[in-house]
């Protein structure tokens, strides 16, 4: 039975945890970073998902100057971009993106463009034509700026878009932008997305004659 059937003009897609499973790389890089700073690994992992790295650092080391966070984040991004071992598509992602080919959708990610290209490539997934990355915005998720820019780039009002997200920061950002949100995977279940599904295997996309997209969400 469907969880929901709805229509939308465009989709805003997070990357990590939504289209791509990069948890193994994130764990390796960020637990190493935490250990260098005497931080407990689980505490680091509890805030890292969905945010740009410098904001994660600011939350964990609040007294440290931001310029140090920005410099360390550049090094972390280089590490993450070079390490694609274990990066795989979220179940259902290839078919989901194939169904969106030629229809309005944007990638809205806290990764920079180089990291987005590396991870989508490692997972064998096509990049959307419209990319909103860390370099596109002045404020990281949970700020809604990225989603607002994605909607504007595609020419739609935020309320006419649906976002796909897995993290608290991402869900908060999309809701603040005025979008409905599909929460993907276990990480999303603790947060107030409009709907939740286990993976993209539970999402069917059907283009409509008027140019809109019908989404049918089902249980696993």
């Amino acid at each position: 039975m469907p969880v929901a059937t709805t229509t939308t003009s465009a989709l805003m897609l997070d990357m990590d945890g939504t289209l791509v499973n990069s948890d193994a790389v994130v764990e390796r890089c960020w637990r190493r970073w935490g250990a260098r700073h005497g931080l407990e690994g689980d505490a680091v992992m509890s805030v890292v998902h969905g945010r740009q790295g410098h904001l994660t650092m600011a939350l964990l080391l609040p007294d440290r100057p931001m310029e140090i966070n920005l410099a360390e984040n550049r090094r972390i991004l280089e590490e993450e971009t070079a390490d694609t071992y274990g990066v795989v598509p979220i179940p259902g992602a290839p078919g989901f993106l194939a169904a969106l080919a030629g229809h309005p959708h944007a990638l809205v990610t806290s990764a920079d463009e180089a990291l987005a290209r590396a991870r989508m490539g490692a997972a064998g997934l096509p990049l959307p034509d419209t990319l909103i990355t860390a370099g596109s915005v002045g404020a990281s998720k949970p700020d809604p700026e990225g989603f607002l820019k994605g909607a504007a780039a595609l020419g739609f009002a935020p309320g006419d878009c649906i976002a796909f997200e897995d993290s608290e920061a991402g869900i908060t950002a999309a809701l603040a932008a005025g979008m409905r949100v599909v929460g993907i995977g276990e990480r999303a279940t603790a947060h107030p997305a409009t709907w939740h599904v286990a993976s993209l295997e539970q999402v069917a996309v059907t283009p409509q004659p008027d140019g809109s997209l019908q989404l049918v969400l089902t249980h696993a």
Side-chain angles (χ1 to χ4, degrees):
M1 289 290 292
V3 173
T5 299
T6 189
T7 58
T8 186
S9 297
L11 300 184
M12 303 289 119
L13 309 176
D14 176 51
M15 181 179 69
D16 295 301
T18 300
L19 297 174
V20 170
N21 182 345
S22 57
D23 284 358
V25 179
V26 175
E27 291 264 350
R28 286 194 291 272
C29 291
W30 280 96
R31 286 184 182 273
R32 281 199 303 266
W33 177 85
R36 289 197 295 269
H37 294 283
L39 298 171
E40 201 277 324
D42 288 347
V44 175
M45 299 314 301
S46 71
V47 297
V48 71
H49 295 290
R51 294 179 172 86
Q52 291 185 36
H54 66 83
L55 180 55
T56 294
M57 294 173 185
L59 290 170
L60 293 165
L61 300 171
D63 297 325
R64 196 168 76 157
M66 184 55 76
E67 58 265 27
I68 297 178
N69 296 338
L70 291 168
E72 281 202 356
N73 186 49
R74 286 192 289 272
R75 290 194 290 272
I76 286 277
L77 284 170
E78 290 172 0
E79 287 181 36
E80 290 188 287
T81 301
D83 183 357
T84 57
Y85 182 75
V87 173
V88 295
I90 292 292
F96 175 74
L97 288 172
L100 291 177
H103 301 285
H105 64 292
L107 191 73
V108 182
T109 176
S110 293
D112 66 6
E113 185 170 340
L115 182 56
R117 290 186 179 279
R119 286 191 176 159
M120 292 289 281
L125 297 175
L127 271 174
D129 292 335
T130 301
L131 305 178
I132 307 297
T133 67
S136 309
V137 298
S140 171
K141 299 172 187 177
D143 191 281
E145 181 185 358
F147 286 110
L148 295 173
K149 284 193 168 182
L154 293 177
F156 295 103
D160 293 331
C161 303
I162 290 178
F164 283 68
E165 269 286 359
D166 73 302
S167 70
E168 179 182 15
I171 290 169
T172 299
L175 291 172
M179 299 178 183
R180 295 171 289 164
V181 184
V182 179
I184 301 293
E186 184 177 353
R187 217 167 12 239
T189 58
H191 310 297
T194 315
W195 307 282
H196 292 91
V197 294
S199 76
L200 292 170
E201 291 176 311
Q202 282 75 59
V203 182
V205 180
T206 305
Q208 300 299 293
D210 65 358
S212 66
L213 297 168
Q214 182 190 71
L215 303 182
V216 177
L217 312 178
T218 59
H219 288 293

